[in-house]
């Protein structure tokens, strides 16, 4: 599916809630000869959990750093929460929480004390409301009961949830999490997933990057897939899934005749491997696969097995990204 770059009709660049939470237009970043991010048109709708996927080195972190104004793009531009960046970053960025390189926490201090240190360093945060803000952020990530415990005694999942609490010390409309499940055990990954689901139910938009589809696909409403700096697929997850090519697989002792009938029935890329015949059906064939079986049987093909196989989203992701290895290596 081609990446979508369409602007919302009638939307004004004024932080209006009708604009996407994130919209980039041909965003590009070069480091010397390397195009770390190349002509990227990302669109993250409000209220979505957007899975930003791609192997290591595909350009996710560089994109996120550009979104947050930490790196200047070589070309292209973008809006955050409807505000053009960087011109209106003072309006946009206070509404954005991020976890890019996790904050450095002190191992011998409690969760509360660690957040106090971070909150005190924020020039925009009011000291008068600090305690309430910290309590609320810890409650929100499910660390209320462990607030007084030392950081070093936290599990990996708790540590990551504390990092997310740090990003939630101010009210946010958008949360950007760069590989928040990286290095976590399965339990920690589950904790982060549950937290993201809870936050999005509160009305937040969340962009979450990962190199593993399986870790985040259950919670994403949308995905964007990066490969070597380019966005190779984007959209609602069920739409991306439905664009995948199905294959008809017939097992028969009459493969030659079967292949001929499949071709005549309008299937493409028909191939014979031993007693297995495969072909790519049209949408019309897929709607009534039983008619195809009837046609084979009427044509004297003895059918031992018939299946319509659709690749999983994981197969699709691997086909786009190249097995998840560093595609630049
Ligand atoms: N400051 C930099 N100077 C030179 N090259 C860079 C710099 N930052 C990133 N790159 C290169 O840009 C490419 C994209 O890197 P980036 O970190 O954005 O990918 P990523 O998808 O976030 O991967 P990872 O998950 O490993 O962080 C890589 O080839 C990387 O080596």
């Amino acid at each position: 599916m081609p990446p979508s770059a369409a602007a919302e009709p009638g939307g004004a660049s004024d932080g209006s809630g009708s604009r996407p939470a994130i919209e980039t237009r041909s965003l590009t970043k070069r480091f010397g000869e390397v195009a770390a991010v190349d002509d990227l048109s990302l669109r993250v709708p409000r209220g979505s959990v957007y899975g930003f996927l791609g192997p290591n080195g595909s350009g996710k972190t560089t994109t996120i750093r550009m979104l947050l104004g930490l790196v200047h793009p070589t070309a292209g531009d973008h809006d955050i929460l409807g505000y053009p960046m960087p011109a209106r970053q003072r309006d946009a960025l206070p509404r954005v929480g991020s976890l890019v390189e996790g904050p450095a926490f002190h191992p011998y201090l409690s969760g509360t004390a660690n957040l106090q240190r971070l909150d005190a360093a924020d020039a925009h945060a009011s000291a008068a409301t600090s305690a309430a803000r910290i309590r609320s952020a810890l409650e929100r990530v499910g660390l209320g009961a462990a607030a007084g415990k030392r950081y070093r005694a936290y599990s990996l999942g708790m540590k990551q949830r504390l990092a997310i609490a740090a990003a939630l010390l101010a009210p946010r409309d958008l949360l950007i999490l760069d590989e928040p499940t990286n290095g976590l055990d399965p339990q920690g990954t589950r904790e982060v997933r549950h937290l993201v689901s809870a936050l999005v139910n509160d009305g937040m938009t969340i962009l979450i990057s990962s190199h593993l589809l399986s870790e985040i696909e259950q919670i994403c409403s949308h995905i964007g897939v990066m490969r070597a700096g380019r966005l190779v697929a984007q959209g609602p997850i069920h739409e991306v899934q439905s664009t995948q090519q199905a294959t008809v697989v017939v097992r028969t002792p009459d493969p030659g005749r079967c292949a001929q009938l499949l071709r005549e029935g309008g299937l493409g890329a028909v191939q014979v491997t031993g007693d297995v015949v495969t072909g790519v059906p049209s949408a019309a064939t897929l709607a009534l696969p039983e008619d195809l079986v009837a046609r084979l049987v009427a044509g004297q093909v003895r059918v031992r097995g018939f299946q319509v196989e659709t690749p999983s989203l994981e197969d699709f992701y691997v086909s786009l990204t190249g097995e998840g290895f560093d595609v630049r290596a």
Side-chain angles (χ1 to χ4, degrees), residues 29 31-32 34-37 54-63 65 178-179 182 209-211 226 229 326 328:
K29 179 68 188 180
F31 294 107
V34 177
V37 176
N56 293 329
S58 59
K60 304 180 301 294
T61 301
T62 304
T63 300
R65 294 179 72 83
D178 191 16
E179 299 264 4
N182 215 5
S209 83
S210 178
H211 60 278
M226 295 287 284
D326 187 342
R328 290 171 197 275

Side-chain angles (χ1 to χ4, degrees), residues 9 16-17 57 87 125 133 151 169 172 179 329:
S16 135
R133 264 200 317 280
Y151 177 77
L169 283 171
R172 310 294 194 190
E179 299 264 4

Side-chain angles (χ1 to χ4, degrees), residues 46-86:
R46 298 260 180 168
S48 62
V49 178
Y50 186 103
F52 191 38
L53 293 157
N56 293 329
S58 59
K60 304 180 301 294
T61 301
T62 304
T63 300
I64 287 173
R65 294 179 72 83
M66 284 193 282
L67 293 177
L68 295 168
L70 301 171
V71 169
H72 290 295
T74 311
D77 55 49
H78 72 288
D79 301 334
I80 295 285
L81 297 170
Y83 292 107
M85 295 282 286

Side-chain angles (χ1 to χ4, degrees), residues 50-62 64-65 68 98-103 156 159-161 163-164 175-185 188-189 192-193 196 206-216 219 224 226 317 324:
Y50 186 103
F52 191 38
L53 293 157
N56 293 329
S58 59
K60 304 180 301 294
T61 301
T62 304
I64 287 173
R65 294 179 72 83
L68 295 168
S98 64
L99 181 61
V100 180
E101 283 132 20
L156 291 172
K159 286 176 175 165
Q160 199 61 310
R161 284 189 281 143
I164 295 174
L175 197 56
I176 296 180
L177 307 174
D178 191 16
E179 299 264 4
T181 55
N182 215 5
L184 293 189
D185 52 14
T189 301
V192 169
R193 268 203 306 257
V196 168
I206 302 180
L207 179 139
I208 175 168
S209 83
S210 178
H211 60 278
L212 292 174
L213 171 70
S214 55
E215 284 193 345
I216 58 167
I219 53 168
M226 295 287 284
Y317 173 64

